[in-house]
Amino acid sequence: MTREWYEDGLQFSCQQCGNCCSGQPGYVWVTPQEIQTIQHHLEEHNIQHNSNYLRRIGQQFSLVEKNNGDCIFLRRNEKNLAICAINQVKPKQCKSWPFWDSLLQSKQSWDEEAKTCPGMNRGKHYSYTEIETFRQQDKDQG
Ligand code: SF4
């Protein structure tokens, strides 16, 4: 029996505003395996050495951001809705949004983030078990 504040689950449906893929500088970590998958999807070779897509931070790699803070893979459609150019193969950090430890630590943290992510607290309902699965996948990233 869980006593987490979100034990009844949470709602989330992305509204494609793009806020989480732009704005303040940040890191989107990618594992060696994810780099291989993205590389294959892009039909490119050795993107690890291609600064158009990846930047090295210590021993790890993060996706490149444009000067305006947009993720290098953020696109907009004709309705100005955000599209991820590598949606099928995006890193686990992106796939697990917004079910991150930092946002789930309290309802206050969750609701604070919901002010910038209009997809939170609306749409599809995720059960506690589904949320914990997302969290575990994110941890498995290593
Ligand atoms: S901020 Fe939320 S609603 Fe906007 S693109 Fe990101 S996940 Fe979707």
Side-chain angles (χ1 to χ4, degrees), residues 67-108:
N67 290 338
N68 64 0
D70 282 2
C71 172
I72 195 68
F73 292 116
L74 174 61
R75 306 284 183 272
R76 296 274 176 185
N77 68 12
E78 67 283 355
K79 293 179 178 166
N80 202 34
L81 294 175
I83 307 277
C84 175
I86 57 167
N87 193 45
Q88 305 100 305
V89 294
K90 62 188 176 187
K92 283 180 185 167
Q93 182 177 328
C94 305
K95 283 183 189 161
S96 61
W97 174 269
F99 303 118
W100 291 0
D101 286 355
S102 57
L103 306 188
L104 292 169
Q105 63 183 354
S106 68
K107 184 166 184 339
Q108 188 182 3

Side-chain angles (χ1 to χ4, degrees), residues 3-45:
R3 297 200 336 248
E4 298 281 7
W5 67 269
Y6 54 91
E7 64 184 343
D8 291 333
L10 290 166
Q11 282 179 282
F12 170 66
S13 284
C14 179
Q15 305 298 304
Q16 293 179 267
C17 70
N19 287 352
C20 62
C21 320
S22 60
Q24 294 294 317
Y27 299 113
V28 177
W29 302 112
V30 276
T31 65
Q33 191 181 345
E34 288 173 334
I35 291 171
Q36 293 289 323
T37 307
I38 293 168
Q39 189 169 282
H40 182 73
H41 179 78
L42 295 173
E43 299 182 349
E44 298 250 9
H45 299 286

